[in-house]
Amino acid sequence: QVQLVESGGGLVQPGGSLTLSCAASGIRINNYIMAWYRQAPGKQRELVAVLTSGNTINYADSVKGRFTISRDNAKNTMYLQMSSLKPEDTAVYYCNAEHVILRDALNYWGQGTQVTVSS
């Protein structure tokens, strides 16, 4: 059974920092395009950052310079380091894994972790 489990969310003041983790089981993430998405209540889910198996990285314009995506293949875990957080970063953050070859057949989502940025 494939599982992606996010952790590290919580309440933080504007300007603060959080690091999210996504622990994978049932897959080896080195074979997957890994990504972080987020969704605020009443809004569409949006792509935050993507990290390919070849270590190509792309960020949403709204988080460039503030967020850093990374993965540790030995730990089979992906991370999102978030700094200079803003109230508009408040959302449920989800990790996603898409196989580099079997992209439609092997695509998985975590359950999400809540990030709230508020004073």
Side-chain angles (χ1 to χ4, degrees), residues 14-35:
S17 300
L18 282 175
T19 297
L20 307 182
S21 299
C22 176
S25 60
I27 63 170
R28 297 299 304 174
I29 66 168
N30 60 297
N31 295 317
Y32 286 77
I33 301 166
M34 304 296 296

Side-chain angles (χ1 to χ4, degrees), residues 38 40 43 46 66 86-91 93 117:
R38 66 186 182 187
K43 296 183 179 180
E46 64 174 339
R66 301 188 298 119
K86 304 174 180 180
E88 52 263 44
D89 296 318
T90 296
Y93 284 71
V117 185

Side-chain angles (χ1 to χ4, degrees), residues 10-63:
L11 176 65
V12 64
Q13 296 271 8
S17 300
L18 282 175
T19 297
L20 307 182
S21 299
C22 176
S25 60
I27 63 170
R28 297 299 304 174
I29 66 168
N30 60 297
N31 295 317
Y32 286 77
I33 301 166
M34 304 296 296
W36 288 97
Y37 290 76
R38 66 186 182 187
Q39 186 169 26
K43 296 183 179 180
Q44 295 290 324
R45 188 171 297 186
E46 64 174 339
L47 179 66
V48 176
V50 60
L51 174 61
T52 72
S53 61
N55 292 321
T56 298
I57 298 174
N58 207 351
Y59 297 97
D61 288 341
S62 59
V63 308

Side-chain angles (χ1 to χ4, degrees), residues 2 4 22 24 27-37 47-59 69-71 73 76-79 94-110:
V2 175
L4 303 176
C22 176
I27 63 170
R28 297 299 304 174
I29 66 168
N30 60 297
N31 295 317
Y32 286 77
I33 301 166
M34 304 296 296
W36 288 97
Y37 290 76
L47 179 66
V48 176
V50 60
L51 174 61
T52 72
S53 61
N55 292 321
T56 298
I57 298 174
N58 207 351
Y59 297 97
I69 188 172
S70 63
R71 57 178 163 86
N73 288 335
N76 214 34
T77 300
M78 178 179 63
Y79 304 94
Y94 298 90
C95 64
N96 173 258
E98 180 179 303
H99 196 274
V100 295
I101 298 173
L102 301 174
R103 297 192 179 187
D104 292 332
L106 301 178
N107 189 290
Y108 307 101
W109 291 90

